[in-house]
């Protein structure tokens, strides 16, 4: 995470996400998948092919791509279908766009009720016998049962969670890095899924995105760094107020 | 040559060569700002490289002078709420923290009997000028004990003139021993954990001995705590000098 300053002198914290060897693996049509839209399977970071049997390599061999560590699905409209095997780059996103980021949260192991659900526990003194971090009562008398989904101790973390509506401040096309506002679930160097935001406030935010994606062998030549309009770039002199 | 007496001329030994050790002199003067050294962790070195590029870019436009803890600095920032839109503060640098773009330094001064500490970010675009008024290192890396010292040690004149200094001289170390206010202090500065050499402790002997109970002499031999930055520093210095010359 890094600080970033706007032209009016305000500071925002930013997370850096690297797009590492992303390729489209397979196209699944609407009828095949049984959903409302067609799906595209996309694979992430490259990994050695020797730790899995040959049967697991079928998708990657069809697309002509080395084995990927993570495979995710994206719901896609029919006019945005991409041929399997095309690489995806960070320039697919543009600064000023809003994005949802999904990842597995940091695993905390088996945790008690105070850390996991934020219960208040009991006082430390004044006669409490061996009861300082316990849940207390778990149901009422009339219910005569414990309801399903009762908050109790258990394994915490290591589940998929999404942060919605994160602004993209800057894109580095040379190293394929996306600068995303705020924090993102997961530990450092974990695998993350970045998707255009589905929040209703940001529906019409993205003007002229690269559609269906940014092709590296196309005619468009992008500069090394793409900045949002409000960012203070370090090539400018210091901020002054009038 | 023919001498006047007809004897061979007296042997004149050649003059002794004067060795000017320019290499060692130059090496000692190199300073690397501490926020360039990446901390030990599991982050990708690519992230540190990209941050360093941004820091170098800022340094090309705005001059950040070399300074240590103990120097007296004057910082002018842009302030939207001030009448002439800028704000100048003079103070002694107490501590330098943070790595990368978020590096900070804290300046302390006592203005009208009120101690004021301001934490500035080195790479913030609102800073318009940093001037070093007085160059002197102190005996410690962290001068936070000035909060419990007598206020005369933290007062600096706001209209102080910059003390002139030659470029080749070494930065002088001020071996001042500061006198403290009566206890209680914000931290127990006499304990060996803080390792402070710049305080004149006027505590009784038995209290100083009792403080040594918290001494951890095995810590200096702990090999897992060693972080040798010499090679990393060399690489970063090379990178910096190449980029700043461009």
């Amino acid at each position: 995470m890094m600080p970033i300053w706007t032209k009016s002198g305000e500071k925002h914290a930013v997370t850096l996400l690297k797009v590492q060897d992303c390729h489209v693996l397979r196209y699944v049509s609407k009828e095949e998948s049984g959903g409302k839209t067609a799906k595209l399977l996309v694979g992430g970071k490259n990994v050695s092919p020797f730790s899995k049997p040959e049967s697991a390599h079928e998708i990657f061999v069809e697309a002509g791509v080395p084995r990927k560590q993570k495979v995710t699905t994206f719901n896609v409209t029919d006019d945005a279908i991409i041929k399997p095997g095309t690489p995806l780059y960070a320039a697919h996103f543009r600064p000023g766009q809003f994005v949802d980021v999904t990842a597995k949260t940091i695993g905390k192991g088996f945790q008690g009720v105070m850390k996991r659900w934020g219960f208040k526990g009991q006082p430390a003194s004044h006669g409490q016998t061996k009861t300082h971090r316990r849940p207390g009562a778990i149901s009422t008398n009339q219910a005569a049962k414990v309801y399903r989904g009762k908050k109790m101790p258990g394994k915490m973390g290591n589940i998929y969670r999404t942060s919605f509506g994160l602004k993209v401040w800057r894109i580095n096309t040379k190293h394929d890095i996306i600068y995303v506002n705020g924090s993102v679930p997961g530990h450092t160097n974990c695998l993350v899924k970045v998707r255009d935001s589905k929040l209703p406030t940001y529906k019409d935010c993205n003007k002229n995105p690269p559609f269906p994606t940014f092709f590296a062998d196309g005619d468009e030549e992008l500069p090394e760094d793409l900045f949002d309009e409000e960012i203070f770039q370090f090539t400018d002199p210091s901020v002054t107020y009038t | 040559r023919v001498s006047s007496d007809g004897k061979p001329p007296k042997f004149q030994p050649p003059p002794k060569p004067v060795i000017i050790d320019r290499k060692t002199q130059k090496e000692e003067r190199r300073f690397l700002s501490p926020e360039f050294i990446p901390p030990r962790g599991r982050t990708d070195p690519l992230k540190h490289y990209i941050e360093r590029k941004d820091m170098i870019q800022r340094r090309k436009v705005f001059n950040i002078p070399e300074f240590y803890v103990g120097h007296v600095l004057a910082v002018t920032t842009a302030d939207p709420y001030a009448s002439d839109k800028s704000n100048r503060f003079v103070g002694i640098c107490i501590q330098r923290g943070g790595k990368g773009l978020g590096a900070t330094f804290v300046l302390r001064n006592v203005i009208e009997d009120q101690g004021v500490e301001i934490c500035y970010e080195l790479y913030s675009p609102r800073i318009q000028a940093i001037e070093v008024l007085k160059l002197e290192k102190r005996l410690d890396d962290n001068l936070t004990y000035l909060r419990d010292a007598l206020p005369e040690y933290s007062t600096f004149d706001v209209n102080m003139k910059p003390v002139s200094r030659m470029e080749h001289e070494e930065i002088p170390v001020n071996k001042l021993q500061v006198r403290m206010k009566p206890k209680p202090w914000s931290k127990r500065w006499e304990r060996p954990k803080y390792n402070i050499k710049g305080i004149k402790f006027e505590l009784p002997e038995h209290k100083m001995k009792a403080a040594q109970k918290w001494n951890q002499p095995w810590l200096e031999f702990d090999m897992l705590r060693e972080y040798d930055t010499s090679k990393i520093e060399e690489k970063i210095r090379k990178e910096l000098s190449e980029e700043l010359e461009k």
Side-chain angles (χ1 to χ4, degrees), chain A residues 1-3 5 9 11 16 18 170 172 175 177 179 189 224 232 234-242, chain B residues 42 44 46-47 49-51 53-54 57-58 61 78-80 85 101-102 121 123-128:
Chain A
M1 286 193 72
M2 244 211 295
W5 285 273
K11 181 166 105 152
L16 309 197
K18 179 160 165 89
R170 177 176 163 181
N172 188 321
H175 298 279
I177 298 182
Y179 290 58
N189 302 334
E224 191 190 326
F232 169 79
F234 289 115
T235 40
D236 306 331
S238 305
V239 159
T240 39
Y241 299 104
T242 41
Chain B
R42 293 167 82 183
D44 206 351
L46 179 66
K47 185 240 180 187
Y49 170 70
I50 285 183
E51 232 181 338
K53 267 199 338 198
D54 276 340
Q57 197 47 256
R58 173 75 179 154
V61 176
D79 193 353
K85 305 297 172 194
L101 277 175
E121 284 156 0
Y123 295 95
S124 165
R126 282 170 61 180
I127 296 188
Q128 273 147 4

Side-chain angles (χ1 to χ4, degrees), chain B residues 10-50:
Chain B
K10 194 172 173 189
F11 170 65
Q12 298 280 343
K16 272 195 178 157
V18 178
I19 306 169
I20 308 168
D21 227 340
R22 284 212 186 94
K23 271 188 194 171
T24 45
Q25 275 177 12
K26 272 189 186 162
E27 274 174 47
E28 283 160 14
R29 283 301 297 132
R30 274 193 293 185
F31 167 73
L32 184 65
S33 213
E35 73 265 5
F36 279 103
I37 302 165
R40 213 165 39 151
R42 293 167 82 183
T43 33
D44 206 351
L46 179 66
K47 185 240 180 187
H48 298 303
Y49 170 70
I50 285 183

